[in-house]
Amino acid sequence: MAADRPGKRRRKGSGTTGQGGEVVLRQRTDPRSERRFEPKASLELGLTMLGMSVAALLAGAGVYGQWFRGEDAGAHPAATYLLLGALLLGAAVGLFGQWSMKSLRVGDAGVGIESGPGEIERIGWHDVTGLLLTETALTVQGSGTAIAIPLRSHLPAAARVLAEARVRIPARAADIKEGALPPPDDAAGEVRSLEPPQVAGLRCKATDKLIAFEADARLCGRCGEHYHKEGVPQRCLTCEAPLR
Ligand SMILES: [Zn+2]
């Protein structure tokens, strides 16, 4: 217990705190931040868009040829094929096109994916059960959920996730080789501040005591694990960061 100072310490910036034995216990309202990463437009996305456009054109031409040529002309003989082609192409693009083009969040609140307008699915660092790196993606596994980060469109985000995981939850990232991904680029991703987390109603990780009031909550600044203020252990039970 080198850093046996009373109170808490904060550090601004990317949020990779808790190195070198520094006490990382935080209040719920202490500032937290994360980075938002937009996907890199890729060839796959371009092809997906092109495929959809062509499918729409075929469908339009097919519909016209089949039903809108006027009474006397009747259906154009090619119309059925146009419609069929549109259907097949649309289905193929839907199946194989690259649609995982969502923005990602990486920071104090863990890893998040923008699943809809104003909707972010998050896996807190303390909820991460494993990290899996393949040729194409870094997958963050939680209990009953996972976020796959495609390396092709989201390499800067994947690099940051891995770097933060090595600091915040080193045991979970131990299986991934050093240097498997490039080091994180501090210029990548837009830094945003986070709202205080909702912790009332949760239970203390150490004592199982109900955290009835937000003010009773204490957070591990490294992995985000939550504790009742009366049950804070010497070290975080999840990531072993010194808390006292
Ligand atoms: Zn922790």
Side-chain angles (χ1 to χ4, degrees):
M1 280 340 101
D4 206 9
R5 296 168 50 152
K8 60 197 183 297
R9 291 173 60 186
R10 306 164 183 177
R11 197 196 287 173
K12 279 183 265 172
S14 67
T16 46
T17 53
Q19 297 171 74
E22 175 193 354
V23 173
V24 294
L25 190 65
R26 290 189 181 184
Q27 307 263 2
R28 180 184 156 264
T29 49
D30 283 351
R32 303 182 310 153
S33 67
E34 66 181 358
R35 283 168 189 264
R36 179 174 188 270
F37 293 89
E38 289 186 355
K40 191 183 92 187
S42 65
L43 182 64
E44 283 80 358
L45 182 68
L47 288 177
T48 302
M49 292 300 180
L50 184 69
M52 286 312 259
S53 311
V54 172
L57 274 178
L58 286 180
V63 165
Y64 175 82
Q66 185 78 24
W67 290 292
F68 292 94
R69 292 216 315 153
E71 287 295 314
D72 44 337
H76 192 280
T80 318
Y81 298 104
L82 285 175
L83 282 173
L84 192 67
L87 196 70
L88 289 178
L89 184 58
V93 169
L95 277 178
F96 304 111
Q98 187 181 7
W99 288 110
S100 52
M101 299 302 288
K102 295 166 176 167
S103 293
L104 297 171
R105 309 287 184 102
V106 186
D108 289 323
V111 181
I113 183 163
E114 295 183 9
S115 49
E119 212 178 298
I120 306 173
E121 278 174 51
R122 294 180 191 279
I123 301 177
W125 296 109
H126 59 284
D127 285 331
V128 172
T129 55
L131 284 174
L132 185 70
L133 181 65
T134 64
E135 296 267 294
T136 54
L138 176 68
T139 303
V140 182
Q141 296 161 324
S143 45
T145 178
I147 294 176
I149 304 169
L151 299 183
R152 201 178 289 216
S153 56
H154 266 306
L155 187 60
R160 181 152 293 271
V161 167
L162 183 57
E164 293 213 9
R166 287 203 199 281
V167 174
R168 294 174 183 272
I169 42 170
R172 303 276 184 246
D175 286 347
I176 299 177
K177 269 205 325 256
E178 286 292 335
L181 289 178
D185 177 1
D186 276 343
E190 170 204 351
V191 178
R192 297 190 166 197
S193 57
L194 279 158
E195 298 278 307
Q198 306 284 319
V199 284
L202 300 177
R203 290 191 174 272
C204 173
K205 176 73 174 177
T207 61
D208 206 38
K209 190 177 168 121
L210 181 73
I211 302 169
F213 305 102
E214 304 275 19
D216 290 344
R218 297 292 180 272
L219 301 169
C220 171
R222 196 152 87 178
C223 75
E225 191 59 85
H226 31 260
Y227 297 95
H228 192 284
K229 66 178 179 188
E230 287 159 17
V232 178
Q234 289 288 326
R235 282 181 172 271
C236 177
L237 300 186
T238 302
C239 75
E240 301 192 346
L243 297 180
R244 284 180 180 276

